[in-house]
Amino acid sequence: MKRLVVALLLLPTAAFAEDRDYCPARPGLGTPACTIAPGRVSVEMGLADWTRDDSPNQREDTILIGDTLMRIGLTDTVEAQLGWTAFGHVRTRDKATGGVDTADRAGDALLGLKVNLHHPDGSGFSAAVQPFVTLPVGRTPVGAGDWGAGVVIPVSFDLGHKLSLQFSPEADAAVDQDGRGRHLAASGTIGLGLAISDSVSGTIEFQEAWDDDPTGRSTQALSSMSLGWMPHDDWQFDVGAVAGLNRDAPDAELYIGISRRL
């Protein structure tokens, strides 16, 4: 998988009869409503992602490398999605004893479709439906331990003056924390996007997520800021930061990534 992704990133861009402006799914917490043009492929990779989760009893640091999503344009309004996390490192420190546990794992795979319902290029008012399933090819604590499924319904509005409003509600059959069975989880993400220049865009987002895990219900509130730089029509580099706003949420997340359209 790693060799395939690297090869795709390095391939020259082919000429296609139909095209539209590149609209990567990253960065940020939400999901864009746009789809990739038919015959095009987008490879989007998190080069490095660090999350810190501090609780009264322990601190957990998670590092993900090569968190990759491949989007394949099938028709004018439909794209297929393949995702996989190549490597994850989880370090857990017990604050009472000082003991440290570490785990190095690959993550799970994702299979999905995005079906755009209006304006597949993401212009004006755009909406889509994105169902997906996750397959337990990895192991806990990076993988979930069982299959899961969900659906996202991304919506975006062009507000003019280089501003856009984005909303991404999601409902999941999320894997239980013990890796056996599923439960209901849901989230809502709202974001304000700004085209800072012809090649730089920024997004501010807020997300609230509800999780009804059998071990205990939780509600996470998050805020996020991200930047995308597109030095070429088919390349994007991005950075982002996420802050937890309540006790259930992870304290902080920092990431950097790259996207390439073929």
Side-chain angles (χ1 to χ4, degrees), residues 167-253:
F167 182 52
S168 301
E170 179 175 346
D172 299 330
V175 180
D176 293 349
Q177 188 172 359
D178 63 6
R180 301 174 182 176
R182 280 149 293 282
H183 63 274
L184 177 64
S187 66
T189 305
I190 188 167
L192 183 66
L194 171 64
I196 300 172
S197 70
D198 290 340
S199 60
V200 178
S201 61
T203 305
I204 299 174
E205 295 171 295
F206 295 93
Q207 182 185 83
E208 189 157 352
W210 305 268
D211 194 295
D212 196 20
D213 191 276
T215 61
R217 297 180 180 180
S218 65
T219 300
Q220 294 186 1
L222 301 166
S223 64
S224 168
M225 295 184 65
S226 59
L227 288 172
W229 172 50
M230 199 170 288
H232 185 275
D233 290 345
D234 297 316
W235 285 92
Q236 178 184 268
F237 299 91
D238 65 75
V239 295
V242 182
L245 302 179
N246 65 353
R247 183 175 58 185
D248 289 339
D251 294 270
E253 179 183 2

Side-chain angles (χ1 to χ4, degrees), residues 3 97 103 123 130 136 154 243-244:
R3 293 180 179 178
T97 66
S123 63
Q130 181 178 310

Side-chain angles (χ1 to χ4, degrees), residues 3 24 36 66 135 139 143 145 148 174 179 243:
R3 293 180 179 178
I36 294 295
L135 306 178
R139 291 188 297 156

Side-chain angles (χ1 to χ4, degrees), residues 6 9 40 63 68 77 95 98 170 214 222 245-246:
V6 172
L9 284 170
R40 304 304 297 263
I63 297 174
T68 304
T77 59
K95 292 183 176 181
E170 179 175 346
L222 301 166
L245 302 179
N246 65 353

Side-chain angles (χ1 to χ4, degrees), residues 11-37:
L11 280 173
T13 303
F16 292 87
E18 181 182 358
D19 206 356
R20 60 183 64 131
D21 289 343
Y22 188 23
C23 179
R26 55 176 304 124
L29 299 172
T31 301
C34 58
T35 52
I36 294 295

